[in-house]
Coordinates of all heavy atoms in Angstrom, one line a residue:
R125 N -137.3 -34.8 190.9 CA -138.1 -35.8 190.2 C -139.0 -36.5 191.3 O -138.6 -36.6 192.4 CB -137.3 -36.8 189.5 CG -135.8 -36.8 189.6 CD -135.1 -37.8 188.8 NE -135.9 -38.8 188.1 CZ -135.3 -39.6 187.1 NH1 -134.1 -39.4 186.7 NH2 -136.2 -40.5 186.6
A126 N -140.2 -37.0 190.8 CA -141.1 -37.7 191.6 C -141.6 -39.0 190.8 O -142.4 -38.8 189.9 CB -142.2 -37.0 192.1
D127 N -141.0 -40.2 190.9 CA -141.2 -41.4 190.1 C -142.0 -42.4 190.9 O -141.4 -42.9 191.9 CB -140.0 -41.8 189.4 CG -139.3 -40.8 188.6 OD1 -139.9 -40.1 187.9 OD2 -138.1 -40.7 188.7
P128 N -143.1 -42.9 190.4 CA -143.7 -44.1 191.1 C -142.7 -45.3 190.9 O -142.4 -45.6 189.8 CB -145.0 -44.3 190.4 CG -145.1 -43.2 189.3 CD -143.8 -42.5 189.3
V129 N -142.4 -45.9 192.0 CA -141.7 -47.1 192.0 C -142.3 -48.1 193.0 O -142.4 -47.8 194.3 CB -140.1 -46.9 192.5 CG1 -139.4 -48.2 192.4 CG2 -139.5 -45.9 191.5
G130 N -142.8 -49.2 192.5 CA -143.5 -50.1 193.5 C -144.8 -49.4 194.0 O -145.5 -48.7 193.3
D131 N -144.9 -49.4 195.4 CA -146.0 -48.8 196.0 C -145.7 -47.4 196.6 O -146.4 -46.9 197.4 CB -146.7 -49.7 197.1 CG -145.6 -50.1 198.1 OD1 -144.6 -49.6 198.2 OD2 -146.0 -50.9 199.0
H132 N -144.6 -46.8 196.2 CA -144.1 -45.6 196.7 C -143.7 -44.6 195.5 O -143.5 -45.0 194.4 CB -142.9 -45.7 197.6 CG -143.3 -46.0 199.1 ND1 -143.9 -47.2 199.4 CD2 -143.1 -45.3 200.2 CE1 -144.1 -47.2 200.6 NE2 -143.7 -46.0 201.2
L133 N -143.7 -43.3 195.9 CA -143.2 -42.3 194.9 C -141.8 -42.0 195.4 O -141.6 -41.8 196.6 CB -144.0 -41.0 195.2 CG -144.2 -40.0 194.1 CD1 -144.7 -40.5 192.8 CD2 -145.2 -38.9 194.6
L134 N -140.9 -42.3 194.5 CA -139.5 -42.0 194.8 C -139.2 -40.5 194.6 O -139.2 -40.1 193.4 CB -138.6 -42.9 194.0 CG -137.0 -42.7 194.1 CD1 -136.7 -42.9 195.6 CD2 -136.2 -43.7 193.3
I135 N -138.9 -39.8 195.6 CA -138.7 -38.4 195.4 C -137.3 -37.9 195.5 O -136.6 -38.3 196.5 CB -139.6 -37.6 196.4 CG1 -141.0 -37.9 196.1 CG2 -139.3 -36.1 196.4 CD1 -142.0 -37.3 197.1
V136 N -136.7 -37.3 194.5 CA -135.3 -36.8 194.5 C -135.5 -35.3 194.7 O -136.3 -34.6 193.9 CB -134.5 -37.1 193.2 CG1 -133.2 -36.4 193.2 CG2 -134.5 -38.6 193.1
G137 N -134.9 -34.7 195.6 CA -134.9 -33.3 196.0 C -133.6 -32.5 195.8 O -132.6 -33.1 196.1
A138 N -133.7 -31.4 195.1 CA -132.4 -30.5 195.0 C -132.4 -29.7 196.3 O -133.4 -29.0 196.7 CB -132.5 -29.7 193.8
V139 N -131.2 -29.7 196.9 CA -131.0 -28.9 198.2 C -130.7 -27.5 197.9 O -129.7 -27.2 197.2 CB -130.0 -29.6 199.1 CG1 -129.7 -28.9 200.4 CG2 -130.3 -31.0 199.4
E140 N -131.5 -26.6 198.4 CA -131.3 -25.2 198.1 C -130.8 -24.4 199.3 O -130.4 -23.3 199.2 CB -132.6 -24.6 197.6 CG -133.1 -25.1 196.3 CD -134.4 -24.6 195.8 OE1 -135.2 -24.0 196.6 OE2 -134.6 -24.7 194.5
G141 N -130.8 -25.0 200.4 CA -130.3 -24.4 201.7 C -130.3 -25.4 202.9 O -131.1 -26.4 202.7
F142 N -129.6 -25.1 203.8 CA -129.5 -26.1 205.0 C -129.0 -25.5 206.2 O -128.2 -24.4 206.1 CB -128.8 -27.4 204.6 CG -127.4 -27.2 204.2 CD1 -126.4 -27.2 205.2 CD2 -127.0 -27.0 202.9 CE1 -125.0 -27.0 204.8 CE2 -125.7 -26.8 202.6 CZ -124.7 -26.7 203.4
E143 N -129.3 -26.0 207.3 CA -128.7 -25.6 208.7 C -128.5 -26.8 209.5 O -129.5 -27.7 209.5 CB -129.8 -24.7 209.4 CG -129.7 -23.3 209.1 CD -130.8 -22.5 209.7 OE1 -131.2 -22.9 210.9 OE2 -131.2 -21.4 209.2
A144 N -127.4 -26.8 210.1 CA -127.2 -28.1 211.1 C -126.9 -27.6 212.5 O -126.1 -26.7 212.7 CB -126.0 -28.9 210.5
G145 N -127.6 -28.1 213.4 CA -127.4 -27.8 214.9 C -126.5 -28.9 215.5 O -125.9 -29.7 214.8
E146 N -126.5 -28.9 216.8 CA -125.7 -29.8 217.6 C -126.7 -30.6 218.5 O -127.7 -30.2 218.8 CB -124.7 -29.2 218.5 CG -123.8 -28.2 217.9 CD -122.7 -29.0 217.1 OE1 -122.3 -30.1 217.6 OE2 -122.2 -28.4 216.1
G147 N -126.4 -31.9 218.7 CA -127.1 -32.7 219.7 C -127.3 -34.1 219.1 O -126.7 -34.6 218.2
E148 N -128.1 -34.8 219.9 CA -128.3 -36.2 219.8 C -129.6 -36.4 218.8 O -130.6 -35.8 219.0 CB -128.5 -36.9 221.0 CG -128.6 -38.4 221.0 CD -129.0 -39.0 222.4 OE1 -128.7 -38.3 223.4 OE2 -129.4 -40.1 222.3
P149 N -129.4 -37.3 217.7 CA -130.6 -37.5 216.8 C -131.6 -38.5 217.4 O -131.2 -39.4 218.2 CB -129.9 -38.1 215.6 CG -128.7 -38.9 216.1 CD -128.3 -38.1 217.4
L150 N -132.8 -38.4 216.9 CA -133.8 -39.5 217.2 C -133.4 -40.6 216.2 O -133.2 -40.4 215.0 CB -135.2 -38.9 216.9 CG -136.3 -39.9 217.1 CD1 -136.4 -40.3 218.6 CD2 -137.7 -39.3 216.7
V151 N -133.5 -41.9 216.7 CA -133.1 -43.1 215.9 C -134.2 -44.0 215.9 O -134.9 -44.2 216.9 CB -131.8 -43.7 216.5 CG1 -131.5 -45.0 215.8 CG2 -130.6 -42.7 216.4
F152 N -134.5 -44.6 214.7 CA -135.6 -45.5 214.6 C -134.9 -46.9 214.3 O -134.2 -47.0 213.3 CB -136.4 -45.1 213.4 CG -137.7 -45.9 213.3 CD1 -138.7 -45.9 214.3 CD2 -138.0 -46.6 212.1 CE1 -139.9 -46.6 214.2 CE2 -139.2 -47.3 212.0 CZ -140.2 -47.3 213.1
Y153 N -135.2 -47.9 215.1 CA -134.5 -49.2 214.9 C -135.5 -50.3 215.4 O -136.1 -50.2 216.5 CB -133.2 -49.2 215.8 CG -132.5 -50.6 215.6 CD1 -131.9 -51.0 214.4 CD2 -132.6 -51.5 216.7 CE1 -131.3 -52.2 214.2 CE2 -132.0 -52.8 216.5 CZ -131.4 -53.1 215.3 OH -130.8 -54.3 215.1
G154 N -135.7 -51.3 214.6 CA -136.6 -52.4 215.0 C -138.0 -52.0 215.3 O -138.6 -52.5 216.1
G155 N -138.4 -50.9 214.5 CA -139.8 -50.5 214.7 C -140.0 -49.6 216.0 O -141.1 -49.3 216.3
E156 N -138.9 -49.2 216.6 CA -139.0 -48.3 217.8 C -138.1 -47.1 217.7 O -137.0 -47.2 217.1 CB -138.6 -49.1 219.0 CG -139.7 -50.2 219.4 CD -139.2 -51.1 220.6 OE1 -138.1 -50.7 221.2 OE2 -139.8 -52.1 220.8
F157 N -138.4 -46.1 218.5 CA -137.5 -45.0 218.7 C -136.5 -45.3 219.7 O -136.9 -45.7 220.9 CB -138.3 -43.7 219.0 CG -139.2 -43.3 217.9 CD1 -140.6 -43.4 218.2 CD2 -138.8 -43.0 216.7 CE1 -141.5 -43.0 217.1 CE2 -139.6 -42.7 215.7 CZ -141.0 -42.7 215.9
V158 N -135.2 -45.2 219.5 CA -134.1 -45.6 220.5 C -133.1 -44.4 220.5 O -133.2 -43.5 219.7 CB -133.4 -46.9 220.0 CG1 -134.4 -48.0 220.0 CG2 -132.7 -46.8 218.8
R159 N -132.2 -44.6 221.5 CA -131.2 -43.5 221.7 C -129.8 -44.0 221.3 O -129.5 -45.1 221.6 CB -131.2 -43.0 223.1 CG -132.5 -42.4 223.6 CD -132.2 -41.9 224.9 NE -131.6 -40.5 224.8 CZ -132.2 -39.4 225.2 NH1 -133.4 -39.3 225.6 NH2 -131.5 -38.2 225.0

Side-chain angles (χ1 to χ4, degrees):
R125 7 184 348 166
D127 300 317
V129 180
D131 56 9
H132 276 62
L133 203 53
L134 178 58
I135 296 175
V136 173
V139 179
E140 298 182 333
F142 58 88
E143 272 176 31
E146 301 287 327
E148 188 182 340
L150 182 63
V151 174
F152 192 61
Y153 180 73
E156 290 176 10
F157 299 115
V158 299
R159 299 190 77 116

